[in-house]
């Protein structure tokens, strides 16, 4: 304490040892309770000769243990936007993250942490009065809020557009040739009296691609039911198989042909990637389907399936958001839905206003992305960091 | 056991390859065997890894809240109600959990990694500004010194010298506008145009005519180059796999394994030829 | 009844979706626990669901055998090998190297999957021959890009003029540009689908009455 | 002529399969040593490191791959081991992947036999231990404690070579052939950064980009990438083997595809012209 006072007295003359302003200790924002943060304003005209030493203790009176020591050229709040965001004042404030104490035998956490800051210059040392804070787990991760806001905006836009589509169902949707060809393929299968093969990809039911694929199956099954064609859905995942059965049952019921529905048309094959391929390739060679539809998420097996299907003379239509497999479907299928078109397919086929509304929302989302890209590029050219910060992820 | 294993391995490898000729009894046998073994194998492996480790061991332990592990078992049992048509609607509860779970997980994760991060990476200045900082200048001087040193050691430009020269040019392009900077800017611009035009291709509710049509057409061209490149880039890995199989066949075809590959190939070709003639006779009679 | 068949599953999807979504924004250890638990649950559910698959397999193959449809012998092969593998697996508690399950894996399963995978080598050649024709500007670019990249891959390519630079540039620009744009679209599409599921707009999976 | 091209366009794809099969199988039995192969700087760096170590240096070789990546990594391992034995370095081998044990034994046996290296004096195989990170940490303080017995069950303490190596920092170089993680990244993060030894290695094609960053940051010396890297190393040690043959096969397969595409397009244009003339 005396040393501190002495330092304050000296401070007017030189930079010998001055205590920085605004020393504060607080719980680290937006963390799981693993640390506290000590922060202070930088000294006027500090340089590399000034060293900050931060010591911690379990009580106000010590014993003190050194937690961090660094020259004044580093350790700025601006280095950790994860906690402090991008305020310009961050460049003038130092901080140190101090990990929580492990609770000892018989102790219960979290433990209050006492922190003391010392300023060491070549000629002298000064110390602040100790302050304390208790690390606590937080209920909101503020730096991730931008993502949350984006989700809310997109959600609100989706609901607004769905409502609008309900009022005015005559929305324009551009042609997707692959989906128009689907109708034709089902018709051809009916004429030839041969089955249609529908695959859902190799992901499980909690994958969005598979969800989209089962929705498309619903639309395909409606047409199959009304044309009275055969459909066969070999599955890689038993849960997907069950969902496909439900989806098809619904389709057959709503097309007024509940008696044509056969649950065994969706069946489980095996849950080994290439075992599945071996079996499905075999089915293709033996049953010679008139059309093969591949929707959902695929891995290396894409070409093994589509090449074999191609040699049987089937019309092949694929749709996947698996970017690495798109080239192979493009090369071996008659039509391929690329990426987002997979998610537009069910809306396109059903023409239901709700679905079309959310399709328009996707377009709005793209406009927003384009806008951000354009503005972000211009802003970065003008050296404005606002957009960069808006898009920061932690 | 090893010799038997080798013969089985070679046999099954050839059975699966025989699919390239056409669907035939060997392939059908291999396929059925594969389906059966694969399911049996994962059933047993996961019995230990999931059932024993994640359920049984937890129940035996005295961890607090251990009864929670019965909840997923219950959800799983809901799925099994599908065997009982009367109550099979209960399985929908399980579907709902899985589908809701996947959707909830996906939204923030996809938005962060596929949109926000990508947008941040794309929104770059299209023209590089020379970096006038002291650190940048220092790195240029360092790279220049390294290049000079390498040049002095080797009179002709070897790969190592070339690498130092490239490093120097790279550093210099950050402090002043050089050919390398222009190339980098061109790349950034091309990426920007590519992203922009491909996004236009995906517009669904706007008619593709006028400027939208032009952009979406450029987008399709970008997509096609990408698909071609990606196709060509994968070929290497696939051929490596094929070569790996050939190596295995070669190894097991050696004297240590009593020439399994050669013998089995001859036998298979013999049987397939016989089948071919037998079936042809049948077809003619029909 | 309609509540149990419709409302309850919609509520389950809504709740599990919202909880998992919010989990991402909550740093509290409790939220971490939720994530951990639910991930473990998923594997357990998947395991129990596998019995559904086993049931389906047994049903369809035994039906084929009973009806003696052409090729029913292969169904018998599938069932017998399935049974034998399960027997081999439960033979010992710890099946390390040298155990029967491991032997099956190394000499049968692994060999067959490696072979199926390697057949891709043949298909990549035949598909390229059929598909890469310069019918239009689009398909010309597709095939040119593929040829340049393939030549860039082989040792000789390094000595050809332009090819290595062109290959590097295509990979650098194209893999980022086109892929990034596809990812933007896919992300928006999947978020829209996920929102529809959580809010019960997409309910095809609930089946009919 | 036009008819020929039309037939060519609709050729049975099994002819393509036969051609491709020949192109892959023939070099396997008769390596062709196709021209054009040149050691890249990264492979050269690995070679130079081993070449410039003084005779009798101690090298740890870790086999961190599974049968699926065997075609890419086994030739690399064989070439590097050949080089080590030729330079009379002492090799201690082990693995972080249980599925790599059989392949490690094979590579070690053939190369040591060729070089007439003596087990226990010139080389030792410790086998595999579960726990990757924990294994590296344990080896950092005491290898004998971590591997009390070698792969064949002999006391590690009784082996002459092992009396000279007690902990990781005793090695002059660590080489990891990694098909993923655990592998090179694990050795760097938990090994070389902490115990300060030089590290190098090889990896598969898909992992090259992620591993190359360690070379760039200087945490690792050189990198052998995929089959091609293996072939380049075989070129440097002047012993063409499986990777050279593989590179021949793969290059030929690439040429075949490019050739097929060209022929297909010529046939396509000629037959289209004829069709155009006819109508």
């Amino acid at each position: 304490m005396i040393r501190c006072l002495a330092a304050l007295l000296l401070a007017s003359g030189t930079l010998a040892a001055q205590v920085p302003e605004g020393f504060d200790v607080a719980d680290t924002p937006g963390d799981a309770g693993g640390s506290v943060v000590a922060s202070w304003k930088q000294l006027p005209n500090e340089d590399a000769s000034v060293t900050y030493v931060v010591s911690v203790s379990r009580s106000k009176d010590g014993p003190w243990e050194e937690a961090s020591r660094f020259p004044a050229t580093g350790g700025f709040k601006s280095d950790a936007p994860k906690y402090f965001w991008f305020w310009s004042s961050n460049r003038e404030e130092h901080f140190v993250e101090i990990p929580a104490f492990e609770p000892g035998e018989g102790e219960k956490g979290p433990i209050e942490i006492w922190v003391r800051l010392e300023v060491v210059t070549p000629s002298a040392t000064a110390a602040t009065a100790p302050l304390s804070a208790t690390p606590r787990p937080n209920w909101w991760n503020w730096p991730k809020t931008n993502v949350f806001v984006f989700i809310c905006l997109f959600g609100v836009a989706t609901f607004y557009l769905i409502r609008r589509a309900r009022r005015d169902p005559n929305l324009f949707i551009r042609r997707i040739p692959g989906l128009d060809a689907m109708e034709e393929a089902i018709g051809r299968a009916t004429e030839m009296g041969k089955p249609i093969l529908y695959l859902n990809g190799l992901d499980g039911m909690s994958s969005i691609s598979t969800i989209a694929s089962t929705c498309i199956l619903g639309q395909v099954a409606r047409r199959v039911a009304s044309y009275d064609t055969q459909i066969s859905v070999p599955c890689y995942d038993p849960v997907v198989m069950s969902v496909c059965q439900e989806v098809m049952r619904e389709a057959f019921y709503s097309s007024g042909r509940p008696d044509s529905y056969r649950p065994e048309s969706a069946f489980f094959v095996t849950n080994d990637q290439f075992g599945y391929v071996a079996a499905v390739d075999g089915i293709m060679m033996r049953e010679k389907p008139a059309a093969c539809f591949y929707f959902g998420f695929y891995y290396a097996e894409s070409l093994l399936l589509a090449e074999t299907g191609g040699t049987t003379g089937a019309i092949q239509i694929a749709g996947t958001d698996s970017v690495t497999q798109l080239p192979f479907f493009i090369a071996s299928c008659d039509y391929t839905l690329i990426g987002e078109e997979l998610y537009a397919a069910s809306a396109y086929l059903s023409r239901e206003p709700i679905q079309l509304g959310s399709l328009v929302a996707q377009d709005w989302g793209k406009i927003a992305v384009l806008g951000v890209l354009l503005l972000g590029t211009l802003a970065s050219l003008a050296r404005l960091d606002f957009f960069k910060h808006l898009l920061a992820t932690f | 056991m090893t010799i038997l294993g080798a013969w089985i391995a070679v046999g099954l490898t050839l059975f699966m390859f025989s699919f390239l000729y056409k669907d035939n009894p060997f392939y059908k046998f291999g396929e059925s065997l594969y389906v059966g073994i694969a399911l049996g194998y994962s059933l047993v492996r996961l019995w230990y890894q999931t059932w024993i480790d994640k359920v049984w061991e937890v129940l035996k332990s005295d961890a607090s809240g251990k009864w929670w592990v019965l909840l997923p078992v219950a959800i799983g049992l809901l799925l099994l109600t599908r065997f009982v048509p009367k109550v099979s609607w209960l399985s929908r509860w399980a579907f709902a959990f899985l589908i809701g779970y996947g959707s909830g997980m996906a939204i923030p994760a996809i938005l962060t990694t596929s949109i926000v991060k990508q947008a941040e990476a794309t929104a770059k200045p299209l023209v590089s500004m020379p970096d006038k900082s002291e650190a940048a200048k220092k790195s240029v001087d360092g790279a220049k010194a390294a290049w000079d040193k390498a040049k002095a050691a080797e009179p002709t430009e070897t790969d190592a010298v070339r690498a130092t020269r490239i490093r120097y040019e790279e550093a210099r392009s950050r402090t002043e506008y050089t050919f390398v900077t222009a190339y980098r800017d061109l790349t950034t611009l091309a990426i920007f145009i590519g992203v922009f035009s491909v996004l236009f291709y995906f517009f669904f509710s706007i008619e593709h005519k006028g400027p939208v049509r032009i952009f979406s057409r450029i987008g399709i061209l970008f997509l096609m180059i990408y698909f071609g490149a990606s196709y060509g880039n994968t070929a290497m890995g696939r051929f490596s796999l094929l070569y790996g199989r050939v190596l295995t066949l070669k190894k097991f075809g050696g004297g240590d394994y009593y020439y399994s590959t050669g013998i089995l190939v001859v036998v298979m070709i013999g049987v397939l030829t016989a089948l071919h003639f037998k079936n042809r006779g049948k077809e003619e009679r029909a | 009844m309609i509540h149990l068949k419709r409302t309850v599953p919609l509520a389950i999807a809504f709740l599990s979706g919202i909880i998992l979504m919010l989990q991402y924004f909550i740093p509290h250890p409790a939220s971490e626990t939720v994530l951990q638990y639910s991930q473990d649950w998923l594997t357990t559910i998947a395991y129990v669901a596998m019995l559904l698959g086993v049931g389906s397999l047994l049903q369809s193959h035994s039906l084929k055998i009973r009806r003696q449809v052409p090729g029913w012998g292969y169904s018998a092969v599938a069932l017998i090998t399935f049974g034998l593998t399960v027997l081999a697996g439960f033979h010992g508690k710890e099946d390390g190297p040298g155990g029967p399950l491991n032997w099956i894996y190394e000499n049968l399963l692994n060999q067959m999957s490696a072979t199926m995978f390697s057949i891709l080598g043949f298909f990549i050649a035949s598909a390229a021959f059929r598909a890469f024709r310069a019918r239009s500007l689009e398909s010309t670019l597709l095939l040119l890009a593929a040829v340049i990249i393939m030549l860039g891959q082989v040792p000789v390519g390094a000595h050809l003029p332009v090819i290595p630079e062109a290959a590097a540039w295509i990979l650098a620009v194209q893999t980022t540009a086109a892929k990034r744009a596809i990812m933007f679209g896919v992300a928006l599409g999947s978020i829209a689908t996920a929102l529809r599921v959580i809010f019960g707009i997409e309910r095809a999976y609930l089946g009919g009455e | 002529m036009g008819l020929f091209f039309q037939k060519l366009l609709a050729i049975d794809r099994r002819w393509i399969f036969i051609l491709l099969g020949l192109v892959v199988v023939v070099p396997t039995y008769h390596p062709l040593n196709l021209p054009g192969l040149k050691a890249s700087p990264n492979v050269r760096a690995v070679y130079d490191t081993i070449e410039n170590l003084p005779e009798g240096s101690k090298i740890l070789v870790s086999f961190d791959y599974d049968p699926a990546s065997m075609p890419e990594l086994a030739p690399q391992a064989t070439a590097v081991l050949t080089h080590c034995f030729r330079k009379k370095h002492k090799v201690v081998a082990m693995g972080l992947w249980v599925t790599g044990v059989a392949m490690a034994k094979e590579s070690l046996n053939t190369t040591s036999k060729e070089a007439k290296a003596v087990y226990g004096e010139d080389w030792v195989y410790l086998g595999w231990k579960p726990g990757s990170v924990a294994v590296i940490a344990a080896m950092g303080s005491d290898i004998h404690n971590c591997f009390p017995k070698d792969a064949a069950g002999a006391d590690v303490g009784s082996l002459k070579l092992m009396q000279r190596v007690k902990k990781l920092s005793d090695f002059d170089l660590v080489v990891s052939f990694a098909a993923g993680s655990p592998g090179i990244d694990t050795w760097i993060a938990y090994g070389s950064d902490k115990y300060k030894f030089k590290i190098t290695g090889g990896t598969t094609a898909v992992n090259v980009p992620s591993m190359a960053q360690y070379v760039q940051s200087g945490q690792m010396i050189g990198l052998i990438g995929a089959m091609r890297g293996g072939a380049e190393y075989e070129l440097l040690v002047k012993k063409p083997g499986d990777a050279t043959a593989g590179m021949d096969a793969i290059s030929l397969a690439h040429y075949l595809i490019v050739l097929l595409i060209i022929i297909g397009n010529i046939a396509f244009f000629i037959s289209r012209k004829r069709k155009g003339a006819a109508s």
Side-chain angles (χ1 to χ4, degrees), chain D residues 167-228:
Chain D
K167 49 189 190 303
L168 277 183
S169 48
D170 290 338
F171 286 106
D172 301 293
L173 182 70
V174 171
V175 189
S176 162
F177 297 100
S181 201
I184 295 173
D185 49 347
T186 329
W187 279 106
I188 289 176
Y190 301 95
S192 66
D193 281 359
K194 203 161 164 196
Y195 303 109
K196 307 289 170 221
F197 47 79
K198 280 198 264 183
I199 179 160
T200 185
T203 192
T204 53
V206 281
N207 286 305
V208 167
S210 60
M211 293 298 160
Q213 62 174 7
Y214 293 118
V215 183
Q216 229 145 42
S217 62
Q219 284 165 289
M220 140 183 213
I221 310 161
L223 177 70
I224 311 176
M227 182 100 65
R228 183 156 173 187

Side-chain angles (χ1 to χ4, degrees), chain B residues 96-101 104, chain C residues 11-21:
Chain B
F97 172 74
L98 291 173
I99 292 174
Y101 176 95
Chain C
I12 292 176
F14 177 77
L15 281 178
S16 54
I18 289 288
I19 290 173
L20 262 297
M21 187 168 86

Side-chain angles (χ1 to χ4, degrees), chain D residues 130-172:
Chain D
S132 52
V133 174
V135 172
I136 296 176
M139 289 177 75
S141 52
D142 187 356
I143 295 176
H144 290 238
N145 201 16
C146 181
F147 285 97
K149 299 219 186 291
D150 72 356
D155 259 330
V156 161
S158 67
L159 300 167
K160 213 169 143 196
L161 167 57
M162 291 310 288
Q163 285 156 10
R164 290 172 53 206
V165 277
K166 302 271 189 225
K167 49 189 190 303
L168 277 183
S169 48
D170 290 338
F171 286 106
D172 301 293

Side-chain angles (χ1 to χ4, degrees), chain D residues 25-214:
Chain D
V25 172
V26 170
T28 314
Y29 288 89
H30 300 280
L32 307 167
N33 281 316
L34 287 179
L37 201 65
K38 203 172 84 176
S40 61
N42 272 344
V43 174
R44 179 113 228 161
V46 180
Y47 178 85
D48 288 345
T49 310
I50 294 176
E51 183 71 20
N52 296 335
L53 283 175
E55 192 179 304
S57 294
K58 289 152 290 184
I59 299 178
L60 179 74
V61 178
S62 184
F63 291 80
D64 309 326
Y65 57 89
D66 55 354
S69 7
M70 195 264 288
E72 288 185 85
L73 293 179
Q76 294 181 3
T78 309
V80 169
L81 285 173
T82 307
H83 191 200
C84 291
F85 286 132
R86 209 183 269 169
K87 292 290 294 180
K88 305 252 180 294
H89 294 318
K90 309 288 174 196
V91 174
V92 177
M94 57 166 288
L96 297 176
W97 291 35
V98 63
T99 41
V101 174
M103 293 170 298
K105 272 188 204 155
E106 207 178 299
S107 295
L108 287 162
N109 284 334
T110 45
T111 49
S112 62
K113 216 178 272 170
E114 269 172 21
K116 301 200 177 60
V118 183
Y119 188 80
E121 264 177 51
D122 301 317
W123 69 284
V124 167
Y125 180 49
L126 298 175
W128 161 85
K129 253 222 144 125
S132 52
V133 174
V135 172
I136 296 176
M139 289 177 75
S141 52
D142 187 356
I143 295 176
H144 290 238
N145 201 16
C146 181
F147 285 97
K149 299 219 186 291
D150 72 356
D155 259 330
V156 161
S158 67
L159 300 167
K160 213 169 143 196
L161 167 57
M162 291 310 288
Q163 285 156 10
R164 290 172 53 206
V165 277
K166 302 271 189 225
K167 49 189 190 303
L168 277 183
S169 48
D170 290 338
F171 286 106
D172 301 293
L173 182 70
V174 171
V175 189
S176 162
F177 297 100
S181 201
I184 295 173
D185 49 347
T186 329
W187 279 106
I188 289 176
Y190 301 95
S192 66
D193 281 359
K194 203 161 164 196
Y195 303 109
K196 307 289 170 221
F197 47 79
K198 280 198 264 183
I199 179 160
T200 185
T203 192
T204 53
V206 281
N207 286 305
V208 167
S210 60
M211 293 298 160
Q213 62 174 7
Y214 293 118

Side-chain angles (χ1 to χ4, degrees), chain A residues 165-355:
Chain A
R166 272 202 184 126
R167 261 183 280 129
D168 172 25
N170 293 321
L171 278 171
F172 171 81
I173 299 292
R174 78 157 159 95
R175 276 193 64 226
I176 300 177
L179 293 174
D180 294 341
M182 219 155 180
E183 207 93 31
E184 189 195 318
I186 298 171
R188 198 172 82 130
T190 318
E191 273 168 32
M192 294 166 72
K194 282 185 178 175
I196 290 166
L197 200 65
Y198 188 101
L199 307 186
N200 284 298
L202 262 68
D203 268 0
M205 207 52 236
S206 21
S207 150
I208 313 284
S209 318
T210 312
I211 296 174
S213 167
T214 51
C215 294
I216 301 169
L217 173 64
Q219 297 300 326
V220 172
R222 270 163 212 263
R223 287 160 176 78
V224 165
S226 56
Y227 282 108
D228 209 10
T229 318
Q230 300 259 349
I231 185 166
S232 132
V233 187
C235 293
Y236 176 77
D237 180 305
V239 181
V240 176
M241 169 193 81
S242 313
V243 172
C244 286
Q245 287 170 346
E246 289 290 308
V247 166
M248 286 201 286
R249 198 164 69 122
E250 208 266 338
F252 275 79
Y253 270 72
S254 60
S255 326
R257 305 194 98 114
D259 40 305
S260 314
Y261 167 65
R262 267 184 298 267
E264 66 271 16
S265 52
F267 55 96
F268 171 75
V269 177
T270 187
N271 56 352
D272 178 282
Q273 184 186 11
F274 292 107
Y276 177 77
V277 173
V280 174
D281 277 359
I283 293 172
M284 285 175 178
M285 293 309 268
R286 275 153 235 155
E287 294 187 4
K288 300 246 185 299
C292 299
F293 298 148
Y294 311 94
F295 290 99
F297 202 90
Y298 291 83
Y299 300 86
E301 69 286 347
S302 62
L303 186 65
L304 285 173
L305 296 167
E307 253 303 275
T308 308
T311 50
T312 63
I315 293 187
Q316 302 206 94
I317 302 171
T320 185
D321 54 344
S322 158
V323 182
T324 49
Q325 300 309 319
L326 275 168
F328 302 110
F329 280 132
I330 299 258
S332 53
C333 288
D334 300 294
Y335 298 93
T336 305
L337 306 188
I338 300 167
E340 196 185 355
E341 289 175 320
L342 169 71
Y343 295 102
S346 140
Y348 187 91
L349 291 171
S350 74
R351 296 271 157 192
E352 273 173 42
I354 299 182
Q355 301 254 6

Side-chain angles (χ1 to χ4, degrees), chain A residues 76-157:
Chain A
F76 289 101
K77 271 187 171 181
S78 53
D79 301 338
K82 188 169 117 190
Y83 298 137
F84 311 110
W85 285 5
F86 298 96
W87 307 118
S88 57
S89 62
N90 284 356
R91 256 169 268 144
E92 289 144 25
E93 285 183 52
H94 290 287
F95 88 102
V96 169
E97 189 181 352
I98 297 154
F101 290 124
E102 289 289 328
E105 200 67 33
E107 242 180 326
K108 249 187 77 180
I111 301 160
E112 189 178 20
I113 302 175
W114 285 87
V115 185
R116 191 183 66 177
L117 169 70
E118 284 169 292
V119 184
V120 182
T121 61
S123 49
T125 305
T128 62
L131 290 176
S132 77
T134 309
R136 296 196 186 282
N138 304 112
W139 285 102
W140 192 254
N141 193 335
W142 284 101
K144 280 183 179 172
T145 306
N146 54 352
V147 173
F148 187 73
V149 172
F150 294 146
I151 292 176
C152 293
L153 286 177
F154 188 64
V156 169

Side-chain angles (χ1 to χ4, degrees), chain B residues 39-107:
Chain B
L39 188 62
Y41 182 78
S42 60
L43 190 73
V44 178
R45 261 286 131 90
L46 294 177
W47 167 267
Y48 293 116
Q49 277 172 15
T50 304
W51 190 253
I52 299 290
D53 287 1
K54 295 246 154 93
V55 180
W56 195 242
E57 291 294 330
V58 176
L59 282 180
K60 276 205 304 191
S61 74
D62 32 47
S64 64
K66 62 176 178 176
W67 299 109
W68 277 106
V69 299
L70 288 180
L71 189 72
V73 176
I75 298 176
L77 289 176
L78 287 180
L79 282 171
L80 295 187
T81 59
R82 296 203 65 81
F83 288 127
V84 190
K86 256 209 152 137
V87 287
S88 74
W89 52 268
L90 274 169
S91 61
R92 295 175 190 173
W93 293 16
F95 301 161
F97 172 74
L98 291 173
I99 292 174
Y101 176 95
S103 304
M105 277 284 266
I107 293 175

Side-chain angles (χ1 to χ4, degrees), chain D residues 219-242:
Chain D
Q219 284 165 289
M220 140 183 213
I221 310 161
L223 177 70
I224 311 176
M227 182 100 65
R228 183 156 173 187
E232 288 167 8
Y233 209 96
E234 285 176 357
L235 186 78
L236 288 171
V237 297
K238 299 193 181 60
K239 190 168 163 281
D242 285 344

